[in-house]
Amino acid sequence: MTLAAPLPAEPAPPSARPDEARPAEIRAKAAVEDLSFWYGPKQVLFSISMPVAEGCVTALIGPSGCGKSTFLRCFNRMHDLYPGNRYAGRILLEPEGIDIIGPKTDPMVPRMRIGMVFQKPNPFPKSIYENVAAGLRIRGVRSRTVLDAQVEKSLRRAALWEEVKDRLHASAHTLSGGQQQRLCIARALAPEPELLLLDEPTSALDPIATAHIEELIDELSRRYTIVVVTHNMQQAARISRFTAFFHLGRLIEFGPTEEVFTRPRETMTQDYITGRFG
Amino acid sequence: MSETGLPTTDGRRLIAAARRRDLLFAGIGLAVLFVATAVLLALVLDLVLTGAPHIDLDFLTSYPSRRASRAGILPAWVGSALVMLVTAALAIPFGIAAGLYLEEYAPRNRVTDVIEINITNLAGVPSIIYGLLALGVFVYGFRLGETILVAGMVLALLVLPVIVVATREALRSIPREVREAAFALGADKWQTVSMYLLPAARPGILTGIIVALARAIGETAPLVTIGALTFIAFLPPPPITAQPPFVSFEWLGSPFTVLPIQMFNWISRPQAAFHELAAAAGVVLLVMTLAMNGLAIYIRYRARRLLG
Ligand SMILES: Nc1ncnc2c1ncn2[C@@H]1O[C@H](COP(=O)(O)OP(=O)(O)O)[C@@H](O)[C@H]1O
Ligand SMILES: [Mg+2]
């Protein structure tokens, strides 16, 4: 499926990487259509429609409590873990167009194809190796050679391999906060997800660890489709190709990051990115 | 008075007052703790001083006797050990399974609520009531007799709520992030439970098991009710045999006594010599309890070290 109206067919490539060849046509990895969400009786998302461009970083920005995490957690049906939550609308996962939140879709289906990294690093109380291998073990991979290879590959992609290669069997809790978050990224990458969800992955980290993770996201965006929640606008501007601005559960503006930040269509977006509220 | 208008001397006085309060409270706490510990220590010391001189190989390998000098606790400690084996084999798997079900699988509805309230209350039921229940249901109803099996079953029932509650608490204290991380990776419920939740809950569950078994090994009332013998001059059939299949469960159907009952029996005699034997048996009972605790603490320590 090619993207409809909200995405310009050929957005100007960000100046940061002029050398990189972009596909002539950006396709959607997912399409959100008229999505609403309720925590019990309380509606927190209102008729949201937007695409998620394949092979790009899409940033979700907006003031705290506007529903960014709630929106992100719809993609892998995390809300199904708690009673009383309700979705309406559709989230189509391409290329097949499976409706992620459709009542007939088993939540395991999107979770098998979509990885997630949480706001607070949440490694399992197990070894570094077992944390990265977790997704593969869940998928029934037993072969030691496959596990070893995939664990190393994922740790390398998460830029953590050099730091932990000599203590793969030490507890994950012996790592620093920034390392734990990169471990969680490696854990999410190991099963080779088609889409990676990051919920404020740097908010619990110090500036140096944050810089590490941002570099990493940039690196990963060559290979994965990424949706990242951030309340840090500089971060959104630095790392994303597209930006969605949320306010009080509504999508106020969506477009290429450059446009949203340099000439927003909505005054509310303008006010938010210039720091007038939020 | 300082320039800010805040009386500095008063500030110091406030801090001093706070210090005094802290000291006072710490003092009271320490005193209470000391009294409690001292009483316990005195009891244990008295028991050990009276009993220890009587503990030797003969004491552990002899049958009870009318003559104090020849009496031993062989059937009693073997009985205690076998009953505990049955109790553990029943209470641990059933307790963990029930706790797991209630915490992770049970739908939130009226039936579940009723079960939950019942389990919590069961922990407070006097143990002799369990004895009566076992006498009626297991001994007479199922005709299982006054056996080690029934003793193990009644003690398992008695301590089941402890393990159920401990399992639930341990599962509940796992941060929800761990659960979410597992589901987000595509795990199904059973994988989440078996690969991530149970290992993380292991220390808490083990603590529950220690408490449960320590309570079970000291129980007397329900076992007297179901007809444990007070004088016994034989051992149950051995669980390991010379002929294939080398294991035998005949011992489950054997009459039995346990250490607390043996102690009670000796205490009720007029001769002082038997009172000293009771103390010696008490020391053995304490050592068995401590050994069980030690084992569980060791397992828990190893689990912690593995988990970090
Ligand atoms: N489990 C929940 N139950 C009820 N309301 C919730 C729950 N989680 C979040 N909310 C509410 O939903 C709104 C959106 O929250 P969230 O998605 O966490 O915002 P953000 O991630 O943008 O800060 C907030 O008003 C928040 O209070
Ligand atoms: Mg959030």
Side-chain angles (χ1 to χ4, degrees):
Chain A
M1 167 189 156
T2 38
L3 288 178
L7 259 189
E10 177 65 352
S15 49
R17 267 195 254 138
D19 52 352
E20 197 173 329
R22 281 285 174 187
E25 192 176 50
I26 295 181
R27 300 193 309 170
K29 183 65 222 170
V32 182
E33 295 178 358
D34 206 19
L35 171 70
S36 296
F37 181 82
W38 290 260
Y39 285 115
K42 182 178 164 199
Q43 184 169 7
V44 296
L45 294 180
F46 299 84
S47 302
I48 289 168
S49 300
M50 64 173 260
V52 173
E54 189 168 49
C56 299
V57 177
T58 301
L60 309 178
I61 61 168
S64 167
C66 68
K68 305 179 295 292
S69 299
T70 304
F71 177 72
L72 198 70
R73 290 160 65 90
C74 290
F75 282 83
N76 62 351
R77 300 272 296 262
M78 271 296 110
H79 300 301
D80 288 38
L81 300 184
Y82 307 98
N85 297 338
R86 189 158 69 84
Y87 313 85
R90 301 201 295 175
I91 301 178
L92 302 178
L93 185 61
E94 305 298 352
E96 305 88 335
I98 296 169
D99 180 8
I100 290 175
I101 55 172
K104 284 196 220 72
T105 307
D106 188 319
M108 301 268 290
V109 171
R111 286 178 199 155
M112 283 290 177
R113 297 170 53 178
I114 297 176
M116 182 164 199
V117 175
F118 297 79
Q119 187 164 355
K120 212 176 105 211
N122 60 347
F124 294 123
K126 288 179 178 271
S127 70
I128 293 169
Y129 183 96
E130 282 306 324
N131 265 279
V132 184
L136 301 168
R137 290 210 188 279
I138 285 166
R139 285 158 180 76
V141 177
R142 290 258 167 67
S143 149
R144 196 79 210 176
T145 43
V146 174
L147 287 173
D148 284 352
Q150 196 66 11
V151 165
E152 176 172 347
K153 187 162 118 194
S154 310
L155 283 170
R156 280 191 191 282
R157 283 196 185 155
L160 191 60
W161 175 252
E162 291 302 325
E163 286 155 75
V164 301
K165 66 179 179 203
D166 298 323
R167 49 177 178 139
L168 289 176
H169 297 283
S171 163
H173 290 294
T174 60
L175 298 175
S176 73
Q179 289 174 323
Q180 286 190 15
Q181 195 61 303
R182 274 178 285 154
L183 180 68
C184 291
I185 293 177
R187 179 176 68 186
L189 294 180
E192 304 277 1
E194 298 165 38
L195 175 60
L196 190 59
L197 309 171
L198 308 171
D199 189 354
E200 303 201 27
T202 60
S203 69
L205 305 182
D206 63 64
I208 293 172
T210 299
H212 257 114
I213 302 267
E214 283 185 14
E215 260 170 50
L216 179 59
I217 293 173
D218 199 47
E219 188 59 40
L220 291 173
S221 70
R222 292 158 200 263
R223 208 186 291 271
Y224 297 93
T225 304
I226 295 175
V227 182
V228 56
V229 171
T230 174
H231 61 235
N232 178 331
M233 268 147 332
Q234 286 75 31
Q235 185 171 69
R238 275 195 300 269
I239 63 180
S240 73
R241 184 91 181 276
F242 294 96
T243 295
F245 171 58
F246 284 71
H247 184 57
L248 296 178
R250 289 170 208 280
L251 177 62
I252 305 298
E253 183 156 355
F254 174 82
T257 299
E258 273 201 340
E259 285 176 28
V260 172
F261 277 87
T262 53
R263 40 200 145 85
R265 287 190 301 270
E266 305 289 331
T267 48
M268 207 184 268
T269 316
Q270 175 83 41
D271 289 349
Y272 183 68
I273 60 179
T274 53
R276 233 166 287 168
F277 80 94
Chain B
M1 294 289 252
S2 72
E3 281 181 22
T4 57
L6 280 175
T8 46
T9 45
D10 270 6
R12 266 188 226 120
R13 210 174 295 150
L14 277 175
I15 292 169
R19 286 245 171 80
R20 268 199 306 280
R21 267 202 310 274
D22 285 351
L23 264 178
L24 186 70
F25 182 76
I28 293 174
L30 204 67
V32 171
L33 209 63
F34 179 76
V35 170
T37 322
V39 170
L40 187 69
L41 219 65
L43 280 172
V44 171
L45 209 66
D46 182 48
L47 194 73
V48 171
L49 287 181
T50 321
H54 294 274
I55 301 176
D56 52 20
L57 202 63
D58 270 353
F59 183 66
L60 296 176
T61 55
S62 301
Y63 293 97
S65 161
R66 258 182 291 281
R67 268 189 277 159
S69 59
R70 292 228 309 250
I73 53 166
L74 179 63
W77 76 256
V78 170
S80 272
L82 291 178
V83 168
M84 290 317 293
L85 207 64
V86 177
T87 304
L90 293 173
I92 295 172
F94 282 112
I96 294 177
L100 201 58
Y101 173 78
L102 282 175
E103 196 58 33
E104 299 292 331
Y105 287 88
R108 296 271 155 255
N109 59 27
R110 189 81 54 79
V111 181
T112 313
D113 286 349
V114 170
I115 294 177
E116 283 191 23
I117 291 171
N118 270 304
I119 289 206
T120 322
N121 288 340
L122 272 183
V125 172
S127 60
I128 194 152
I129 307 288
Y130 282 91
L132 284 178
L133 172 106
L135 186 69
V137 177
F138 300 148
V139 178
Y140 296 141
F142 297 159
R143 304 196 179 286
L144 291 174
E146 294 141 2
T147 58
I148 291 179
L149 177 64
V150 170
M153 282 161 74
V154 64
L155 292 185
L157 272 184
L158 183 72
V159 300
L160 199 64
V162 179
I163 299 182
V164 173
V165 170
T167 302
R168 298 193 61 186
E169 289 296 325
L171 287 170
R172 208 174 304 161
S173 69
I174 298 172
R176 71 175 215 174
E177 287 84 13
V178 170
R179 217 173 291 261
E180 291 190 350
F183 280 112
L185 278 173
D188 59 34
K189 192 134 192 176
W190 175 242
Q191 287 173 325
T192 305
V193 165
S194 62
M195 295 165 88
Y196 302 106
L197 300 186
L198 273 183
R202 195 155 47 186
I205 296 176
L206 266 168
T207 305
I209 292 174
I210 297 176
V211 173
L213 293 187
R215 175 163 180 209
I217 201 173
E219 274 299 335
T220 319
L223 300 187
V224 173
T225 316
I226 62 162
L229 300 179
T230 47
F231 186 91
I232 189 168
F234 57 87
L235 279 183
I240 297 164
T241 57
Q243 288 87 33
F246 303 113
V247 284
S248 150
F249 289 101
E250 242 181 279
W251 55 273
L252 284 173
S254 169
F256 69 98
T257 193
V258 290
L259 274 169
I261 294 179
Q262 183 67 70
M263 287 172 66
F264 181 70
N265 174 273
W266 279 335
I267 288 279
S268 355
R269 299 207 181 181
Q271 301 94 324
F274 279 112
H275 298 176
E276 290 177 8
L277 288 187
V283 173
V284 173
L285 184 62
L286 269 182
V287 169
M288 283 177 81
T289 312
L290 289 179
M292 275 183 342
N293 285 359
L295 181 69
I297 289 169
Y298 173 71
I299 297 173
R300 190 169 57 183
Y301 163 77
R302 278 203 25 182
R304 283 242 172 86
R305 214 182 36 178
L306 282 180
L307 299 176

